[in-house]
């Protein structure tokens, strides 16, 4: 799977949306794939969302591993990551301080 620069706008817009309304349905009630940027994708698109907490002292590698492990533990999310029909993906993280931790909202988007 390759990084799909053309999908980055979708990942950015969906991550901003899930910080306010955590759902695969957009705040306006439409499906996730109607977000700006998905129109640049292929005929098949997918989305993984995540909200997680991690120590504010965590290294970038630790954050990446936690996100990967959490998605891997979820059958539907893991299926998206392993689906051979997806050729491109993009990911976006937004972070917010919460005491000794950081809240991470993340979106991974896929297309063929």
């Amino acid at each position: 799977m390759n990084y799909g620069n053309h999908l980055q706008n979708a990942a950015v817009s969906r991550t901003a949306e899930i910080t306010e309304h955590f759902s695969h349905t957009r705040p306006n009630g439409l499906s996730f794939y109607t977000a700006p940027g998905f129109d640049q994708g292929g005929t098949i698109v997918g989305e993984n969302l995540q909200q997680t907490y991690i120590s504010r002292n965590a290294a970038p590698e630790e954050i990446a591993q936690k996100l990967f492990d959490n998605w891997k533990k979820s059958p539907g999310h893991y299926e998206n990551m392993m689906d051979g029909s997806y050729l491109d993906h993009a990911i976006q993280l937004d972070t917010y301080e919460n005491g000794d931790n950081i809240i991470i909202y993340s979106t991974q988007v896929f297309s063929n």
Side-chain angles (χ1 to χ4, degrees), residues 20-53:
E20 300 297 324
H21 176 75
F22 193 87
S23 174
H24 289 288
T25 302
R26 299 182 63 210
N28 63 7
L30 297 176
S31 296
F32 73 89
Y33 56 82
T34 64
F38 277 108
D39 57 336
Q40 301 298 314
T43 56
I44 302 171
V45 294
E47 172 182 79
N48 286 347
L49 304 178
Q50 186 172 165
Q51 176 190 5
T52 193
Y53 295 82

Side-chain angles (χ1 to χ4, degrees), residues 46-86:
E47 172 182 79
N48 286 347
L49 304 178
Q50 186 172 165
Q51 176 190 5
T52 193
Y53 295 82
I54 197 160
S55 167
R56 71 174 48 217
N57 298 323
E61 296 82 4
E62 184 180 355
I63 294 169
Q65 190 65 54
K66 181 169 185 166
L67 293 171
F68 174 81
D69 290 345
N70 287 347
W71 277 326
K72 187 176 178 183
K73 290 177 193 173
S74 168
H77 293 115
Y78 187 64
E79 184 178 325
N80 274 343
M81 293 191 309
M82 300 305 293
D83 188 331
S85 63
Y86 293 134

Side-chain angles (χ1 to χ4, degrees), residues 3-13 36-37 89-93 109:
Y3 169 68
N5 186 52
H6 59 285
L7 294 172
Q8 194 61 47
N9 285 342
V12 169
S13 64
H89 77 108
I91 190 167
Q92 175 69 28
L93 311 175
V109 296

